[in-house]
């Protein structure tokens, strides 16, 4: 009698583990893919992009111009400071 109870409990646990393995694999895959993609940030301490990228080279001057103009009470539609001009109104 004890042996039958132990085998049925073992069979239940095997079924549960099989279900967890089957249902948990997509989540484990996504976690692993995310860790693999971002490992330079988490482990090696790299920061992307080096030198600031678009944020420093283009977006910061635009945002600072907009902040200055709004601070003066003017709604900026055009930035004359960037090259031949930059349409602020159509920026994302």
């Amino acid at each position: 009698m004890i042996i039958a109870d132990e085998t049925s409990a073992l069979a239940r646990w095997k079924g549960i583990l099989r279900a967890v393995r089957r249902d948990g694999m997509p989540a484990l895959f996504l976690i692993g893919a995310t860790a693999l993609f971002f490992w330079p940030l988490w482990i090696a301490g790299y920061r992307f992009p080096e030198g600031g990228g678009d944020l420093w080279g283009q977006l910061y001057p635009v945002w600072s111009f907009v902040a200055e103009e709004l601070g003066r009470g003017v709604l900026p539609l055009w930035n004359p400071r960037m090259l031949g001009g930059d349409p602020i109104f159509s920026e994302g």
Side-chain angles (χ1 to χ4, degrees):
M1 191 78 164
I2 294 174
I3 295 173
D5 288 338
E6 288 177 2
T7 57
S8 65
L10 183 61
R12 271 185 284 171
W13 276 106
K14 283 184 180 180
I16 290 171
L17 289 175
R18 200 174 311 123
V20 167
R21 196 175 325 140
R22 180 189 67 230
D23 297 339
M25 281 300 178
L28 287 176
F29 174 76
L30 290 175
I31 290 169
T34 302
L36 184 65
F37 183 79
F38 287 109
W39 78 267
L41 292 173
W42 295 334
I43 297 172
Y46 292 121
R47 296 293 178 247
F48 297 114
E50 289 188 23
D54 288 343
L55 179 64
W56 185 256
Q58 181 179 1
L59 298 180
Y60 179 76
V62 171
W63 292 344
S64 65
F65 172 75
V66 170
E68 289 174 12
E69 293 296 307
L70 290 176
R72 293 188 316 146
V74 177
L75 180 64
L77 301 177
W78 185 262
N79 182 0
R81 297 181 190 170
M82 293 199 56
L83 300 173
D86 184 41
I88 300 297
F89 184 72
S90 64
E91 287 281 337

PDB file of all heavy atoms in Angstrom, residues 59-90:
ATOM      1  N   LEU A  59      20.082  65.802 -30.378  1.00  0.00           N
ATOM      2  CA  LEU A  59      18.887  66.041 -29.572  1.00  0.00           C
ATOM      3  C   LEU A  59      19.110  67.051 -28.455  1.00  0.00           C
ATOM      4  O   LEU A  59      18.228  67.850 -28.162  1.00  0.00           O
ATOM      5  CB  LEU A  59      18.376  64.719 -29.005  1.00  0.00           C
ATOM      6  CG  LEU A  59      17.952  63.686 -30.043  1.00  0.00           C
ATOM      7  CD1 LEU A  59      17.477  62.428 -29.371  1.00  0.00           C
ATOM      8  CD2 LEU A  59      16.899  64.247 -30.968  1.00  0.00           C
ATOM      9  N   TYR A  60      20.276  67.032 -27.830  1.00  0.00           N
ATOM     10  CA  TYR A  60      20.516  67.982 -26.742  1.00  0.00           C
ATOM     11  C   TYR A  60      20.453  69.437 -27.212  1.00  0.00           C
ATOM     12  O   TYR A  60      19.812  70.265 -26.567  1.00  0.00           O
ATOM     13  CB  TYR A  60      21.849  67.689 -26.050  1.00  0.00           C
ATOM     14  CG  TYR A  60      22.141  68.651 -24.934  1.00  0.00           C
ATOM     15  CD1 TYR A  60      21.488  68.539 -23.715  1.00  0.00           C
ATOM     16  CD2 TYR A  60      23.030  69.704 -25.111  1.00  0.00           C
ATOM     17  CE1 TYR A  60      21.725  69.429 -22.691  1.00  0.00           C
ATOM     18  CE2 TYR A  60      23.281  70.598 -24.101  1.00  0.00           C
ATOM     19  CZ  TYR A  60      22.630  70.458 -22.884  1.00  0.00           C
ATOM     20  OH  TYR A  60      22.867  71.342 -21.888  1.00  0.00           O
ATOM     21  N   PRO A  61      21.108  69.790 -28.338  1.00  0.00           N
ATOM     22  CA  PRO A  61      20.975  71.180 -28.799  1.00  0.00           C
ATOM     23  C   PRO A  61      19.538  71.572 -29.122  1.00  0.00           C
ATOM     24  O   PRO A  61      19.117  72.703 -28.834  1.00  0.00           O
ATOM     25  CB  PRO A  61      21.846  71.232 -30.054  1.00  0.00           C
ATOM     26  CG  PRO A  61      22.818  70.130 -29.884  1.00  0.00           C
ATOM     27  CD  PRO A  61      22.103  69.060 -29.135  1.00  0.00           C
ATOM     28  N   VAL A  62      18.787  70.662 -29.699  1.00  0.00           N
ATOM     29  CA  VAL A  62      17.392  70.967 -30.028  1.00  0.00           C
ATOM     30  C   VAL A  62      16.591  71.186 -28.755  1.00  0.00           C
ATOM     31  O   VAL A  62      15.836  72.159 -28.627  1.00  0.00           O
ATOM     32  CB  VAL A  62      16.772  69.835 -30.889  1.00  0.00           C
ATOM     33  CG1 VAL A  62      15.275  70.031 -31.038  1.00  0.00           C
ATOM     34  CG2 VAL A  62      17.445  69.780 -32.240  1.00  0.00           C
ATOM     35  N   TRP A  63      16.752  70.273 -27.792  1.00  0.00           N
ATOM     36  CA  TRP A  63      15.996  70.401 -26.547  1.00  0.00           C
ATOM     37  C   TRP A  63      16.397  71.650 -25.758  1.00  0.00           C
ATOM     38  O   TRP A  63      15.554  72.296 -25.149  1.00  0.00           O
ATOM     39  CB  TRP A  63      16.168  69.167 -25.692  1.00  0.00           C
ATOM     40  CG  TRP A  63      15.529  67.950 -26.256  1.00  0.00           C
ATOM     41  CD1 TRP A  63      14.590  67.877 -27.241  1.00  0.00           C
ATOM     42  CD2 TRP A  63      15.801  66.607 -25.885  1.00  0.00           C
ATOM     43  NE1 TRP A  63      14.252  66.576 -27.503  1.00  0.00           N
ATOM     44  CE2 TRP A  63      14.981  65.775 -26.677  1.00  0.00           C
ATOM     45  CE3 TRP A  63      16.650  66.017 -24.971  1.00  0.00           C
ATOM     46  CZ2 TRP A  63      14.995  64.401 -26.574  1.00  0.00           C
ATOM     47  CZ3 TRP A  63      16.662  64.641 -24.868  1.00  0.00           C
ATOM     48  CH2 TRP A  63      15.838  63.848 -25.658  1.00  0.00           C
ATOM     49  N   SER A  64      17.677  71.995 -25.781  1.00  0.00           N
ATOM     50  CA  SER A  64      18.100  73.200 -25.057  1.00  0.00           C
ATOM     51  C   SER A  64      17.529  74.450 -25.727  1.00  0.00           C
ATOM     52  O   SER A  64      17.119  75.396 -25.045  1.00  0.00           O
ATOM     53  CB  SER A  64      19.618  73.273 -24.958  1.00  0.00           C
ATOM     54  OG  SER A  64      20.196  73.423 -26.226  1.00  0.00           O
ATOM     55  N   PHE A  65      17.492  74.456 -27.066  1.00  0.00           N
ATOM     56  CA  PHE A  65      16.891  75.595 -27.770  1.00  0.00           C
ATOM     57  C   PHE A  65      15.407  75.716 -27.427  1.00  0.00           C
ATOM     58  O   PHE A  65      14.910  76.816 -27.146  1.00  0.00           O
ATOM     59  CB  PHE A  65      17.075  75.438 -29.280  1.00  0.00           C
ATOM     60  CG  PHE A  65      16.324  76.461 -30.076  1.00  0.00           C
ATOM     61  CD1 PHE A  65      16.781  77.765 -30.158  1.00  0.00           C
ATOM     62  CD2 PHE A  65      15.153  76.120 -30.736  1.00  0.00           C
ATOM     63  CE1 PHE A  65      16.095  78.708 -30.885  1.00  0.00           C
ATOM     64  CE2 PHE A  65      14.461  77.060 -31.465  1.00  0.00           C
ATOM     65  CZ  PHE A  65      14.918  78.361 -31.541  1.00  0.00           C
ATOM     66  N   VAL A  66      14.709  74.599 -27.456  1.00  0.00           N
ATOM     67  CA  VAL A  66      13.279  74.617 -27.137  1.00  0.00           C
ATOM     68  C   VAL A  66      13.064  75.089 -25.702  1.00  0.00           C
ATOM     69  O   VAL A  66      12.166  75.888 -25.424  1.00  0.00           O
ATOM     70  CB  VAL A  66      12.644  73.226 -27.371  1.00  0.00           C
ATOM     71  CG1 VAL A  66      11.240  73.165 -26.819  1.00  0.00           C
ATOM     72  CG2 VAL A  66      12.652  72.894 -28.849  1.00  0.00           C
ATOM     73  N   ALA A  67      13.889  74.628 -24.778  1.00  0.00           N
ATOM     74  CA  ALA A  67      13.759  75.045 -23.380  1.00  0.00           C
ATOM     75  C   ALA A  67      13.999  76.544 -23.221  1.00  0.00           C
ATOM     76  O   ALA A  67      13.275  77.215 -22.472  1.00  0.00           O
ATOM     77  CB  ALA A  67      14.739  74.261 -22.511  1.00  0.00           C
ATOM     78  N   GLU A  68      15.009  77.082 -23.936  1.00  0.00           N
ATOM     79  CA  GLU A  68      15.267  78.521 -23.870  1.00  0.00           C
ATOM     80  C   GLU A  68      14.097  79.325 -24.410  1.00  0.00           C
ATOM     81  O   GLU A  68      13.680  80.318 -23.804  1.00  0.00           O
ATOM     82  CB  GLU A  68      16.522  78.859 -24.679  1.00  0.00           C
ATOM     83  CG  GLU A  68      17.808  78.389 -24.065  1.00  0.00           C
ATOM     84  CD  GLU A  68      18.985  78.626 -24.996  1.00  0.00           C
ATOM     85  OE1 GLU A  68      18.844  79.357 -26.010  1.00  0.00           O
ATOM     86  OE2 GLU A  68      20.062  78.056 -24.715  1.00  0.00           O
ATOM     87  N   GLU A  69      13.572  78.888 -25.549  1.00  0.00           N
ATOM     88  CA  GLU A  69      12.469  79.620 -26.173  1.00  0.00           C
ATOM     89  C   GLU A  69      11.204  79.559 -25.314  1.00  0.00           C
ATOM     90  O   GLU A  69      10.504  80.555 -25.162  1.00  0.00           O
ATOM     91  CB  GLU A  69      12.189  79.087 -27.574  1.00  0.00           C
ATOM     92  CG  GLU A  69      13.305  79.342 -28.566  1.00  0.00           C
ATOM     93  CD  GLU A  69      13.517  80.821 -28.824  1.00  0.00           C
ATOM     94  OE1 GLU A  69      12.534  81.514 -29.168  1.00  0.00           O
ATOM     95  OE2 GLU A  69      14.661  81.279 -28.658  1.00  0.00           O
ATOM     96  N   LEU A  70      10.907  78.380 -24.783  1.00  0.00           N
ATOM     97  CA  LEU A  70       9.731  78.264 -23.922  1.00  0.00           C
ATOM     98  C   LEU A  70       9.907  79.072 -22.647  1.00  0.00           C
ATOM     99  O   LEU A  70       8.940  79.630 -22.114  1.00  0.00           O
ATOM    100  CB  LEU A  70       9.447  76.793 -23.587  1.00  0.00           C
ATOM    101  CG  LEU A  70       8.936  75.936 -24.738  1.00  0.00           C
ATOM    102  CD1 LEU A  70       8.798  74.483 -24.288  1.00  0.00           C
ATOM    103  CD2 LEU A  70       7.612  76.453 -25.269  1.00  0.00           C
ATOM    104  N   GLY A  71      11.136  79.132 -22.154  1.00  0.00           N
ATOM    105  CA  GLY A  71      11.423  79.957 -20.973  1.00  0.00           C
ATOM    106  C   GLY A  71      11.190  81.441 -21.233  1.00  0.00           C
ATOM    107  O   GLY A  71      10.857  82.198 -20.324  1.00  0.00           O
ATOM    108  N   ARG A  72      11.377  81.880 -22.471  1.00  0.00           N
ATOM    109  CA  ARG A  72      11.109  83.276 -22.843  1.00  0.00           C
ATOM    110  C   ARG A  72       9.650  83.506 -23.197  1.00  0.00           C
ATOM    111  O   ARG A  72       9.246  84.619 -23.491  1.00  0.00           O
ATOM    112  CB  ARG A  72      11.973  83.676 -24.028  1.00  0.00           C
ATOM    113  CG  ARG A  72      13.445  83.736 -23.695  1.00  0.00           C
ATOM    114  CD  ARG A  72      14.300  84.314 -24.795  1.00  0.00           C
ATOM    115  NE  ARG A  72      13.949  83.800 -26.116  1.00  0.00           N
ATOM    116  CZ  ARG A  72      14.020  84.509 -27.242  1.00  0.00           C
ATOM    117  NH1 ARG A  72      14.396  85.754 -27.200  1.00  0.00           N
ATOM    118  NH2 ARG A  72      13.722  83.974 -28.399  1.00  0.00           N
ATOM    119  N   GLY A  73       8.854  82.427 -23.222  1.00  0.00           N
ATOM    120  CA  GLY A  73       7.436  82.563 -23.529  1.00  0.00           C
ATOM    121  C   GLY A  73       7.120  82.467 -25.008  1.00  0.00           C
ATOM    122  O   GLY A  73       6.057  82.912 -25.445  1.00  0.00           O
ATOM    123  N   VAL A  74       8.030  81.912 -25.804  1.00  0.00           N
ATOM    124  CA  VAL A  74       7.840  81.806 -27.249  1.00  0.00           C
ATOM    125  C   VAL A  74       7.686  80.327 -27.606  1.00  0.00           C
ATOM    126  O   VAL A  74       8.455  79.495 -27.134  1.00  0.00           O
ATOM    127  CB  VAL A  74       9.052  82.402 -28.008  1.00  0.00           C
ATOM    128  CG1 VAL A  74       8.905  82.220 -29.499  1.00  0.00           C
ATOM    129  CG2 VAL A  74       9.244  83.850 -27.637  1.00  0.00           C
ATOM    130  N   LEU A  75       6.707  80.007 -28.438  1.00  0.00           N
ATOM    131  CA  LEU A  75       6.532  78.636 -28.912  1.00  0.00           C
ATOM    132  C   LEU A  75       7.408  78.452 -30.155  1.00  0.00           C
ATOM    133  O   LEU A  75       7.109  79.001 -31.210  1.00  0.00           O
ATOM    134  CB  LEU A  75       5.073  78.352 -29.248  1.00  0.00           C
ATOM    135  CG  LEU A  75       4.767  76.938 -29.747  1.00  0.00           C
ATOM    136  CD1 LEU A  75       5.071  75.913 -28.656  1.00  0.00           C
ATOM    137  CD2 LEU A  75       3.325  76.835 -30.184  1.00  0.00           C
ATOM    138  N   PRO A  76       8.501  77.694 -30.053  1.00  0.00           N
ATOM    139  CA  PRO A  76       9.418  77.579 -31.194  1.00  0.00           C
ATOM    140  C   PRO A  76       8.882  76.624 -32.258  1.00  0.00           C
ATOM    141  O   PRO A  76       8.515  75.502 -31.982  1.00  0.00           O
ATOM    142  CB  PRO A  76      10.691  77.024 -30.561  1.00  0.00           C
ATOM    143  CG  PRO A  76      10.212  76.240 -29.397  1.00  0.00           C
ATOM    144  CD  PRO A  76       8.982  76.948 -28.891  1.00  0.00           C
ATOM    145  N   LEU A  77       8.814  77.104 -33.483  1.00  0.00           N
ATOM    146  CA  LEU A  77       8.413  76.263 -34.601  1.00  0.00           C
ATOM    147  C   LEU A  77       9.590  75.966 -35.521  1.00  0.00           C
ATOM    148  O   LEU A  77       9.553  75.008 -36.278  1.00  0.00           O
ATOM    149  CB  LEU A  77       7.303  76.946 -35.404  1.00  0.00           C
ATOM    150  CG  LEU A  77       6.033  77.278 -34.630  1.00  0.00           C
ATOM    151  CD1 LEU A  77       5.048  78.003 -35.524  1.00  0.00           C
ATOM    152  CD2 LEU A  77       5.421  76.019 -34.068  1.00  0.00           C
ATOM    153  N   TRP A  78      10.643  76.785 -35.448  1.00  0.00           N
ATOM    154  CA  TRP A  78      11.800  76.642 -36.321  1.00  0.00           C
ATOM    155  C   TRP A  78      13.051  76.967 -35.514  1.00  0.00           C
ATOM    156  O   TRP A  78      13.088  77.943 -34.773  1.00  0.00           O
ATOM    157  CB  TRP A  78      11.661  77.613 -37.487  1.00  0.00           C
ATOM    158  CG  TRP A  78      12.731  77.478 -38.529  1.00  0.00           C
ATOM    159  CD1 TRP A  78      13.837  78.243 -38.641  1.00  0.00           C
ATOM    160  CD2 TRP A  78      12.789  76.525 -39.570  1.00  0.00           C
ATOM    161  NE1 TRP A  78      14.584  77.830 -39.700  1.00  0.00           N
ATOM    162  CE2 TRP A  78      13.960  76.766 -40.299  1.00  0.00           C
ATOM    163  CE3 TRP A  78      11.963  75.479 -39.975  1.00  0.00           C
ATOM    164  CZ2 TRP A  78      14.340  76.020 -41.399  1.00  0.00           C
ATOM    165  CZ3 TRP A  78      12.337  74.737 -41.075  1.00  0.00           C
ATOM    166  CH2 TRP A  78      13.507  75.002 -41.779  1.00  0.00           C
ATOM    167  N   ASN A  79      14.082  76.148 -35.683  1.00  0.00           N
ATOM    168  CA  ASN A  79      15.356  76.379 -35.009  1.00  0.00           C
ATOM    169  C   ASN A  79      16.362  76.884 -36.041  1.00  0.00           C
ATOM    170  O   ASN A  79      16.862  76.114 -36.853  1.00  0.00           O
ATOM    171  CB  ASN A  79      15.851  75.085 -34.363  1.00  0.00           C
ATOM    172  CG  ASN A  79      17.154  75.262 -33.601  1.00  0.00           C
ATOM    173  OD1 ASN A  79      17.704  76.348 -33.540  1.00  0.00           O
ATOM    174  ND2 ASN A  79      17.620  74.184 -33.038  1.00  0.00           N
ATOM    175  N   PRO A  80      16.689  78.162 -36.028  1.00  0.00           N
ATOM    176  CA  PRO A  80      17.623  78.692 -37.020  1.00  0.00           C
ATOM    177  C   PRO A  80      19.079  78.364 -36.698  1.00  0.00           C
ATOM    178  O   PRO A  80      19.958  78.623 -37.513  1.00  0.00           O
ATOM    179  CB  PRO A  80      17.374  80.210 -36.958  1.00  0.00           C
ATOM    180  CG  PRO A  80      16.901  80.452 -35.572  1.00  0.00           C
ATOM    181  CD  PRO A  80      16.136  79.210 -35.180  1.00  0.00           C
ATOM    182  N   ARG A  81      19.372  77.808 -35.549  1.00  0.00           N
ATOM    183  CA  ARG A  81      20.752  77.550 -35.132  1.00  0.00           C
ATOM    184  C   ARG A  81      21.353  76.287 -35.739  1.00  0.00           C
ATOM    185  O   ARG A  81      22.556  76.134 -35.752  1.00  0.00           O
ATOM    186  CB  ARG A  81      20.827  77.419 -33.611  1.00  0.00           C
ATOM    187  CG  ARG A  81      20.433  78.671 -32.884  1.00  0.00           C
ATOM    188  CD  ARG A  81      20.568  78.444 -31.409  1.00  0.00           C
ATOM    189  NE  ARG A  81      19.975  79.529 -30.654  1.00  0.00           N
ATOM    190  CZ  ARG A  81      19.789  79.486 -29.358  1.00  0.00           C
ATOM    191  NH1 ARG A  81      20.154  78.428 -28.675  1.00  0.00           N
ATOM    192  NH2 ARG A  81      19.245  80.494 -28.742  1.00  0.00           N
ATOM    193  N   MET A  82      20.536  75.349 -36.199  1.00  0.00           N
ATOM    194  CA  MET A  82      21.064  74.085 -36.713  1.00  0.00           C
ATOM    195  C   MET A  82      21.151  74.126 -38.229  1.00  0.00           C
ATOM    196  O   MET A  82      20.130  74.187 -38.922  1.00  0.00           O
ATOM    197  CB  MET A  82      20.178  72.911 -36.275  1.00  0.00           C
ATOM    198  CG  MET A  82      20.241  72.693 -34.790  1.00  0.00           C
ATOM    199  SD  MET A  82      19.699  71.098 -34.246  1.00  0.00           S
ATOM    200  CE  MET A  82      20.704  69.990 -35.154  1.00  0.00           C
ATOM    201  N   LEU A  83      22.376  74.112 -38.754  1.00  0.00           N
ATOM    202  CA  LEU A  83      22.640  74.123 -40.186  1.00  0.00           C
ATOM    203  C   LEU A  83      21.824  75.208 -40.871  1.00  0.00           C
ATOM    204  O   LEU A  83      21.967  76.379 -40.552  1.00  0.00           O
ATOM    205  CB  LEU A  83      22.387  72.741 -40.786  1.00  0.00           C
ATOM    206  CG  LEU A  83      23.234  71.613 -40.214  1.00  0.00           C
ATOM    207  CD1 LEU A  83      22.789  70.282 -40.765  1.00  0.00           C
ATOM    208  CD2 LEU A  83      24.706  71.841 -40.477  1.00  0.00           C
ATOM    209  N   GLY A  84      20.970  74.852 -41.807  1.00  0.00           N
ATOM    210  CA  GLY A  84      20.145  75.845 -42.499  1.00  0.00           C
ATOM    211  C   GLY A  84      18.826  76.073 -41.804  1.00  0.00           C
ATOM    212  O   GLY A  84      17.983  76.815 -42.282  1.00  0.00           O
ATOM    213  N   GLY A  85      18.607  75.416 -40.697  1.00  0.00           N
ATOM    214  CA  GLY A  85      17.365  75.518 -39.957  1.00  0.00           C
ATOM    215  C   GLY A  85      16.787  74.132 -39.700  1.00  0.00           C
ATOM    216  O   GLY A  85      17.078  73.172 -40.433  1.00  0.00           O
ATOM    217  N   ASP A  86      16.012  74.021 -38.675  1.00  0.00           N
ATOM    218  CA  ASP A  86      15.439  72.729 -38.295  1.00  0.00           C
ATOM    219  C   ASP A  86      14.001  72.952 -37.865  1.00  0.00           C
ATOM    220  O   ASP A  86      13.727  73.777 -36.982  1.00  0.00           O
ATOM    221  CB  ASP A  86      16.247  72.137 -37.145  1.00  0.00           C
ATOM    222  CG  ASP A  86      15.777  70.750 -36.744  1.00  0.00           C
ATOM    223  OD1 ASP A  86      15.463  69.966 -37.645  1.00  0.00           O
ATOM    224  OD2 ASP A  86      15.745  70.463 -35.532  1.00  0.00           O
ATOM    225  N   PRO A  87      13.066  72.245 -38.478  1.00  0.00           N
ATOM    226  CA  PRO A  87      11.657  72.440 -38.110  1.00  0.00           C
ATOM    227  C   PRO A  87      11.355  71.760 -36.767  1.00  0.00           C
ATOM    228  O   PRO A  87      11.250  70.546 -36.662  1.00  0.00           O
ATOM    229  CB  PRO A  87      10.895  71.770 -39.252  1.00  0.00           C
ATOM    230  CG  PRO A  87      11.836  70.761 -39.792  1.00  0.00           C
ATOM    231  CD  PRO A  87      13.209  71.312 -39.575  1.00  0.00           C
ATOM    232  N   ILE A  88      11.216  72.543 -35.741  1.00  0.00           N
ATOM    233  CA  ILE A  88      10.934  72.036 -34.397  1.00  0.00           C
ATOM    234  C   ILE A  88       9.516  71.471 -34.331  1.00  0.00           C
ATOM    235  O   ILE A  88       9.253  70.472 -33.670  1.00  0.00           O
ATOM    236  CB  ILE A  88      11.117  73.134 -33.336  1.00  0.00           C
ATOM    237  CG1 ILE A  88      12.549  73.650 -33.353  1.00  0.00           C
ATOM    238  CG2 ILE A  88      10.736  72.644 -31.961  1.00  0.00           C
ATOM    239  CD1 ILE A  88      13.572  72.622 -32.989  1.00  0.00           C
ATOM    240  N   PHE A  89       8.604  72.107 -35.039  1.00  0.00           N
ATOM    241  CA  PHE A  89       7.198  71.704 -34.990  1.00  0.00           C
ATOM    242  C   PHE A  89       7.005  70.272 -35.476  1.00  0.00           C
ATOM    243  O   PHE A  89       6.146  69.560 -34.989  1.00  0.00           O
ATOM    244  CB  PHE A  89       6.349  72.679 -35.815  1.00  0.00           C
ATOM    245  CG  PHE A  89       4.884  72.401 -35.741  1.00  0.00           C
ATOM    246  CD1 PHE A  89       4.182  72.678 -34.591  1.00  0.00           C
ATOM    247  CD2 PHE A  89       4.213  71.859 -36.824  1.00  0.00           C
ATOM    248  CE1 PHE A  89       2.829  72.417 -34.516  1.00  0.00           C
ATOM    249  CE2 PHE A  89       2.858  71.602 -36.760  1.00  0.00           C
ATOM    250  CZ  PHE A  89       2.169  71.889 -35.597  1.00  0.00           C
ATOM    251  N   SER A  90       7.824  69.837 -36.432  1.00  0.00           N
ATOM    252  CA  SER A  90       7.653  68.485 -36.983  1.00  0.00           C
ATOM    253  C   SER A  90       8.565  67.455 -36.330  1.00  0.00           C
ATOM    254  O   SER A  90       8.615  66.316 -36.786  1.00  0.00           O
ATOM    255  CB  SER A  90       7.899  68.511 -38.490  1.00  0.00           C
ATOM    256  OG  SER A  90       9.243  68.857 -38.756  1.00  0.00           O
TER     257      SER A  90
END
